Amino acid sequence: MLQDLVATGPMLAAVAVAALAGLISFVSPCVLPVVPGYVSYVAGGPLLDEGVATRRRPVVKGTALFILGFASVFVAYGALFGGLGATLQSSQAVLTRVLGVVVVVMGLVFAGWLPRSQRQLLPRLRPKSGLVGAPLMGVTFGLGWTPCLGPTLATVQTLAFTEASAGRGATLAAVYAAGLGLPFIAVGLGMRRALTATQWARGHTVGIKRAGAVMLITTGLLLATGVWDHLMRGLQSTISGYTTVL
């Protein structure tokens, strides 16, 4: 049941981190600049700049199919890491700490404090624009932008590993995809307001990157030191003291 997947202390905290990681990915310098182009491409034409009602439906459909495409890639990653966590449960404590260190390093990379390649491994595949090609373009985006999204995606995959469940790992990845994908729809539907917001984000790139890096590094340190497990056990015991009203 879905309630069994998410209604625990560790999972609730991990879901919150995954959603925030998705949003941080959206406003990152390697994603934000390409958003209008992608939304126009999958919608099959120009975006809404005057709120034209006749354009809303293809924008929503095309963007939703695009999100579904890259969400399928990320969910597969999450299920894989969650399954690995279950398989390697006997060594999970040690591996979680190692992965926590990796997340800290990814946070430093995200902030620009460590060098990294900005090159995306974007496949040369160019599916047809519009609704037909939107899901395939989403898959292409998910595969091609994985190196760029590495720091935030690594955090979600580590949390999936700690959950030791393919289902929970897939759920975390889906939440991450929603955090990354829903702003795409906002851009398509409210072009003028969304462009103002994205312009603000571009003007505060350094601050956004540092704030995101702090979240990643903090999460990594909590995982690497074992404090995450301690905090989650306390949260789980608190939640278990309450009963769900149906």
Side-chain angles (χ1 to χ4, degrees):
M1 294 176 62
L2 181 61
Q3 182 179 359
D4 295 329
L5 287 177
V6 299
T8 68
M11 191 60 178
L12 287 174
V15 163
V17 172
L20 185 55
L23 183 59
I24 290 172
S25 296
F26 177 82
V27 296
S28 66
C30 62
V31 172
L32 192 60
V34 304
V35 170
Y38 266 99
V39 176
S40 295
Y41 191 87
V42 300
L47 295 177
L48 299 171
D49 52 8
E50 296 292 341
V52 181
T54 56
R55 291 287 302 144
R56 291 187 182 277
R57 186 167 296 177
V59 168
V60 172
K61 285 185 177 180
T63 309
L65 290 171
F66 172 71
I67 294 169
L68 184 63
F70 68 70
S72 65
V73 175
F74 298 149
V75 167
Y77 290 160
L80 175 62
F81 272 77
L84 283 174
T87 302
L88 303 175
Q89 206 156 20
S90 60
S91 306
Q92 190 184 53
V94 173
L95 291 173
T96 296
R97 298 195 178 203
V98 172
L99 290 173
V101 173
V102 172
V103 171
V104 171
V105 173
M106 290 292 99
L108 295 173
V109 169
F110 187 80
W113 295 328
L114 289 178
R116 70 161 172 169
S117 171
Q118 296 291 336
R119 178 174 174 268
Q120 283 78 44
L121 303 178
L122 187 63
R124 295 183 178 182
L125 178 64
R126 290 292 184 275
K128 183 179 179 181
S129 64
L131 299 181
V132 175
L136 187 55
M137 178 56 77
V139 172
T140 303
F141 174 85
L143 294 173
W145 253 249
T146 293
C148 171
L149 301 174
T152 51
L153 195 55
T155 302
V156 175
Q157 290 168 350
T158 298
L159 293 175
F161 181 85
T162 63
E163 289 298 323
S165 163
R168 293 189 178 193
T171 301
L172 286 177
V175 171
Y176 171 80
L180 171 61
L182 291 179
F184 274 88
I185 295 179
V187 168
L189 291 181
M191 188 60 177
R192 186 161 294 176
R193 289 184 181 180
L195 277 180
T196 300
T198 55
Q199 288 169 357
W200 178 90
R202 290 183 189 182
H204 296 78
T205 299
V206 174
I208 291 172
K209 287 178 67 175
R210 288 178 178 174
V214 168
M215 186 206 77
L216 299 180
I217 293 170
T218 300
T219 303
L221 288 173
L222 292 175
L223 290 164
T225 58
V227 175
W228 175 272
D229 288 338
H230 178 74
L231 292 175
M232 293 307 104
R233 282 196 296 268
L235 182 58
Q236 187 167 10
S237 64
T238 300
I239 292 177
S240 65
Y242 296 90
T243 55
T244 303
V245 179
L246 299 178

